[in-house]
Amino acid sequence: MTQTNQDIAVAIETAHSQPSEPESLAAALRAQKIDVELIEPTASFPAVVKLNAADWGNAAAAASAAKWRWAGVWADDCVSELKVYSCLQKNNTYLILQTQLRPGQTGLTSQAPYFWAADRPERHTQDLFGIRFEDHPDPRRWTRHQAWPQGSYPLRKSFPASGLSQAETAPDHEYPFLEANGDSVYQIPVGPVHAGIIEPGHFRFQAIGETVLHLEERLGYVHKGIEKISEGRDPAGLARLAGRVSGDCTVAHAWAACLAMERAAGFEAPPRAAFLRGIMAERERIGNHLWDMAALCNDVGFAFAYYQFGRLRELWLRENQSVFGHRLLMDRIVPGGVISDISSQTNRLMRESVTTIRGEVNELLTILDYNSSLEDRFIGAGMLSVELADALGALGFVGRASGQTFDARAHIPYAPYDSLQVRVPVESQGDVASRFWVRYKELRESFHLIEALLDTMPYGDVSLSWQAPAAGAQGFAAIESWRGEVLCFVRFDGDNAVSRYWPRDPSAVNWPALEKLVLGNIVPDFPVCNKSVNASYSGHDL
Amino acid sequence: MLSLYGKIIKTGMLTEKLLKLPEDQSVIHAGQTLKAVIDKSFQGSVAIRQVDAGSCNGCELEIHALNNVYYDIERYGVHFVASPRHADILMATGPVSRHMEAALRRTYEAMANPKWVIAVGDCGACGGEFGISYASRGAINNIIPVDIVINGCPPAPIDLMRGILNLFSTV
């Protein structure tokens, strides 16, 4: 059947007459007599709904009712005013809510009563900006331990980056943990230094016998002021810093920062650079999934698989080194493109290793399938229900093992994924086994994507020279990392200097899921539950 | 089960001789010194406690790799332990975040004498990309005495190995 011009015209007309998702939300707010201004999306920024500070919570209530996913909040000290943004996502659209606080005005209604995910990010914003979120269900501090005193706010422009005191920093104390009382209930404090080669954080378990009744995370130990020290950097310097928000996610964070900066500056990296970035991102996913699969097996005492997956990961990292010049691919993505090209020889090399490693992974999965002792430990451990994952807005393999379909590569695609079909594996069982299985399926998809990218790689430059953006230019980007969606906001001052950098690692969203999924499990299963989530401490603490 | 054994046999032994890795005579020399020092002074085994004092986790990934089948650092008598009480060496990464300052110091103090400290990575060496700020104290030796530094961002496993060997060549 062929479409006539008239049919097409009707189709376009219908599409135009349907209100967009941001328009629908704006209309819903106006119906409640809320004063809003809708700003259409641009090449550098999604649609924006501007609100009064008093309506900040109401907007979240309406967004929650309309099934938007809450993705992050950040503030920006513009000296004359404090701008506050929160990011929502629905279907194939991002929407930014924006409000501003006048000097001296610090109160804002909270969005946390309507979105679970807003809890800690709002407390982080409170600790670093001094914005008081009224009606917030949890008034405790979060990122602030003792590195700066109560009542001073590091992300205010007036706060010196060097801090207020050079004295030794006391350990954190008097954090009001939830306490459980009752016969046989006891408390297990763990960390910040853990008993392995792992990042630091504190876990407070309430247990009865072997069973976990409650888990409370206390993070912020590796807060190293990333948002503050980004101020004044040039684009290349910001890309390096972004690549170290979370070392295992270096490609995704550097890419997100570069894309946001390129959008702010109003230009696009060449197509070949986008393809190379895509290959690196998929390679990052594969390397990390292989390592996670190794560590998950190790945590339940299955040494065979630990060594086998670890072996494949090492070979993969060595190929990163030989093709791109760095085992973890740090500093390969730069503003305007990537630092080096691949040859037809390295193209062939990567294709061949994909074929080999895919065969090996499939062979290992067959062996794993025959080992019921592994299944005994994985199946039913660390259950995160579909409903809970949805309420939390869980991302990446954590969300996808619990029925969440979102993947920025597929739903809000950016180059090179806008020219590819990305299949998103989704499971609904929500246990450790499911998160292991989703990783395996994601490996397969990444192998396929690398082949597709290598096959269809366009010719041309791999970078463009940087064009300084106008003062005040800002950009927003979302990149699907191996852990899930990475968000990034960048605003420039004059002189090509960054004034505000806000990265949002998916870990910020997924950490609360661990508190939920471990409940009812035995304490000795915590390591494998934790590993199955594998949230980043550094990416969360910033 | 047969397929499991089949895979093991097919994979074979992969641990690489140090000679096969890109290196020079000083590594072989340091390797021999290491083995001699560990055998003599540590009864054949030296224990490392690793502490992340603020790293981006890149260094941790490469320290983990020391235990994979290619490097298998345990064969030289070097192993990682869960408690500072059991450790001869503290291997610390990161610019020291102010929130980890006390924890790093306490871990160091919990170790018995004699003890050595290895600062790993550019951040551990000088604060790296993060430097010193309201939230970061920078280099490890701003907090505790450091015996040797292993540079890199992150250092590759072979560099880590050389660094540990070099520690003993200076002991």
Side-chain angles (χ1 to χ4, degrees):
Chain A
M1 199 174 76
T2 53
Q3 274 191 316
T4 63
N5 282 348
Q6 201 178 353
D7 288 339
I8 294 167
V10 168
I12 292 170
E13 184 68 24
T14 319
H16 278 193
S17 61
Q18 294 281 330
S20 69
E21 295 288 1
E23 282 165 358
S24 302
L25 184 67
L29 289 168
R30 285 190 188 111
Q32 295 178 48
K33 306 259 183 278
I34 293 172
D35 191 16
V36 299
E37 183 191 345
L38 177 67
I39 301 168
E40 292 297 320
T42 65
S44 66
F45 221 68
V48 176
V49 168
K50 281 189 167 180
L51 300 152
N52 293 319
D55 294 320
W56 196 242
N58 294 331
S64 174
K67 302 277 179 214
W68 286 81
R69 176 176 63 88
W70 193 95
V73 63
W74 73 98
D76 188 5
D77 186 354
C78 302
V79 187
S80 61
E81 60 189 0
L82 201 55
K83 288 187 178 164
V84 186
Y85 304 82
S86 75
C87 176
L88 303 170
Q89 176 268 325
K90 187 177 177 184
N91 299 331
N92 56 355
T93 309
Y94 282 111
L95 169 63
I96 309 290
L97 302 178
Q98 189 207 315
T99 189
Q100 42 267 325
L101 300 172
R102 295 180 306 280
Q105 184 189 5
T106 56
L108 191 61
T109 51
S110 171
Q111 300 189 328
Y114 312 100
F115 289 106
W116 217 323
D119 176 349
R120 290 171 182 176
E122 283 191 355
R123 286 158 70 193
H124 175 81
T125 309
Q126 152 125 19
D127 288 356
L128 281 94
F129 279 98
I131 296 168
R132 193 165 35 80
F133 287 92
E134 290 151 10
D135 312 324
H136 193 292
D138 189 343
R140 293 176 297 174
R141 61 199 165 87
W142 179 246
T143 307
R144 183 174 72 76
H145 292 190
Q146 306 295 325
W148 66 98
Q150 187 174 4
S152 58
Y153 305 106
L155 286 182
R156 294 297 189 109
K157 294 290 184 199
S158 54
F159 186 98
S162 57
L164 301 171
S165 159
Q166 302 309 310
E168 268 181 32
T169 308
D172 197 26
H173 53 84
E174 292 178 348
Y175 183 78
F177 286 101
L178 184 130
E179 304 271 344
N181 293 306
D183 290 344
S184 312
V185 180
Y186 65 107
Q187 197 170 209
I188 315 172
V190 182
V193 177
H194 296 154
I197 304 167
I198 180 174
E199 299 181 81
H202 183 87
F203 299 114
R204 188 67 63 101
F205 296 90
Q206 311 289 337
I208 183 158
E210 288 271 66
T211 308
V212 179
L213 283 181
H214 186 260
L215 164 64
E216 193 171 350
E217 295 154 0
R218 176 84 183 107
L219 303 177
Y221 286 92
V222 281
H223 175 72
K224 41 196 173 279
I226 287 172
E227 290 168 277
K228 184 74 178 181
I229 62 174
S230 69
E231 292 174 8
R233 285 194 177 222
D234 66 1
L238 185 71
R240 278 197 310 276
L241 182 65
R244 285 156 184 84
V245 166
S246 180
D248 52 13
C249 232
T250 179
V251 171
H253 274 287
W255 188 355
C258 288
L259 191 56
M261 290 191 284
E262 287 154 11
R263 285 174 176 172
F267 76 104
E268 261 183 57
R272 191 170 174 88
F275 271 62
L276 288 167
R277 287 172 174 186
I279 289 169
M280 286 191 247
E282 296 309 322
R283 291 192 67 90
E284 180 168 81
R285 183 185 315 275
I286 290 167
N288 281 304
H289 279 347
L290 287 171
W291 171 232
D292 272 5
M293 289 163 86
L296 278 165
C297 291
N298 192 47
D299 278 345
V300 296
F302 194 39
F304 164 81
Y306 171 64
Y307 287 115
Q308 291 286 351
F309 283 116
R311 171 176 71 85
L312 298 181
R313 171 182 160 84
E314 177 66 22
L315 292 172
W316 196 248
L317 297 192
R318 287 181 183 192
E319 189 170 276
N320 282 348
Q321 175 75 46
S322 72
V323 175
F324 294 101
H326 193 281
R327 283 165 57 91
L328 303 180
L329 302 173
M330 276 173 172
D331 305 327
R332 307 298 102 176
I333 294 179
V334 292
V338 297
I339 62 161
S340 60
D341 204 352
I342 57 169
S343 63
S344 55
Q345 193 194 348
T346 45
N347 185 317
R348 199 168 52 245
L349 181 78
M350 282 196 280
R351 281 210 60 126
E352 284 165 7
S353 68
V354 162
T355 307
T356 315
I357 210 157
R358 176 164 39 209
E360 291 234 35
V361 168
N362 289 344
E363 189 187 3
L364 287 174
L365 258 289
T366 311
I367 296 172
L368 262 48
D369 265 352
Y370 280 114
N371 276 271
S372 55
S373 63
L374 189 72
E375 288 187 353
D376 283 349
R377 296 292 308 278
F378 280 2
I379 293 179
M383 294 285 280
L384 181 71
S385 70
V386 172
E387 295 73 25
L388 201 49
D390 187 43
L392 293 164
L395 294 165
F397 48 80
V398 177
R400 290 198 273 275
S402 295
Q404 307 307 302
T405 56
F406 180 74
D407 185 322
R409 294 173 300 169
H411 293 95
I412 311 180
Y414 42 94
Y417 298 106
D418 52 358
S419 61
L420 293 168
Q421 184 86 28
V422 180
R423 288 165 299 188
V424 185
V426 178
E427 301 277 316
S428 56
Q429 205 178 327
D431 55 3
V432 172
S434 199
R435 287 187 284 280
F436 185 88
W437 189 241
V438 165
R439 281 173 167 94
Y440 166 63
K441 288 187 168 177
E442 289 195 3
L443 276 185
R444 291 177 59 101
E445 182 61 14
S446 289
F447 291 141
H448 170 72
L449 287 171
I450 288 179
E451 287 173 336
L453 288 165
L454 289 171
D455 283 350
T456 56
M457 171 137 341
Y459 289 100
D461 293 334
V462 297
S463 68
L464 290 178
S465 57
W466 179 253
Q467 304 160 22
Q474 55 188 35
F476 175 89
I479 293 288
E480 188 71 21
S481 79
W482 72 279
R483 259 199 192 96
E485 166 204 53
V486 162
L487 298 179
C488 179
F489 168 82
V490 175
R491 180 172 65 82
F492 280 95
D493 268 342
D495 297 338
N496 209 25
V498 172
S499 181
R500 177 75 172 114
Y501 166 58
W502 173 76
R504 209 269 356 250
D505 191 86
S507 307
V509 179
N510 283 348
W511 269 115
L514 177 64
E515 283 184 347
K516 305 295 171 203
L517 64 82
V518 76
L519 299 183
N521 285 259
I522 57 172
V523 176
D525 267 353
F526 176 69
V528 71
C529 290
N530 186 18
K531 191 71 208 181
S532 74
V533 174
N534 194 5
S536 163
Y537 296 71
S538 183
H540 170 279
D541 294 350
L542 297 178
Chain B
M1 212 56 188
L2 272 181
S3 58
L4 189 153
Y5 290 128
K7 183 72 183 170
I8 291 172
I9 290 163
K10 247 180 14 198
T11 307
M13 288 280 267
L14 294 168
T15 40
E16 290 183 345
K17 300 250 185 314
L18 268 182
L19 278 170
K20 274 180 68 183
L21 293 164
E23 40 81 59
D24 52 42
Q25 287 300 313
S26 68
V27 175
I28 298 163
H29 173 72
Q32 287 161 348
T33 318
L34 172 76
K35 192 108 186 69
V37 173
I38 292 179
D39 285 350
K40 189 168 166 231
S41 307
F42 296 93
Q43 266 66 50
S45 103
V46 69
I48 301 181
R49 174 67 256 234
Q50 192 270 338
V51 170
D52 172 347
S55 106
C56 73
N57 79 27
C59 287
E60 279 60 39
L61 294 174
E62 294 296 51
I63 295 170
H64 264 295
L66 287 174
N67 287 320
N68 77 31
V69 290
Y70 289 93
Y71 304 100
D72 187 23
I73 196 165
E74 282 211 19
R75 69 193 149 132
Y76 302 112
V78 179
H79 59 275
F80 289 87
V81 293
S83 166
R85 303 283 192 209
H86 300 159
D88 306 294
I89 297 172
L90 177 60
M91 184 180 260
T93 61
V96 182
S97 72
R98 287 182 182 265
H99 291 160
M100 278 301 288
E101 183 178 354
L104 177 65
R105 187 175 285 113
R106 286 181 182 183
T107 305
Y108 175 75
E109 286 164 359
M111 289 168 64
N113 281 313
K115 56 191 171 192
W116 294 269
V117 176
I118 302 178
V120 170
D122 291 348
C123 293
C126 67
E129 204 57 41
F130 303 100
I132 294 176
S133 74
Y134 79 95
S136 161
R137 293 291 311 270
I140 301 290
N141 73 1
N142 291 344
I143 309 302
I144 53 174
V146 168
D147 294 286
I148 202 162
V149 168
I150 304 175
N151 283 297
C153 188
I158 182 65
D159 301 327
L160 290 165
M161 228 160 171
R162 285 184 182 133
I164 298 167
L165 304 179
N166 287 340
L167 171 67
F168 290 112
S169 62
T170 62
V171 164

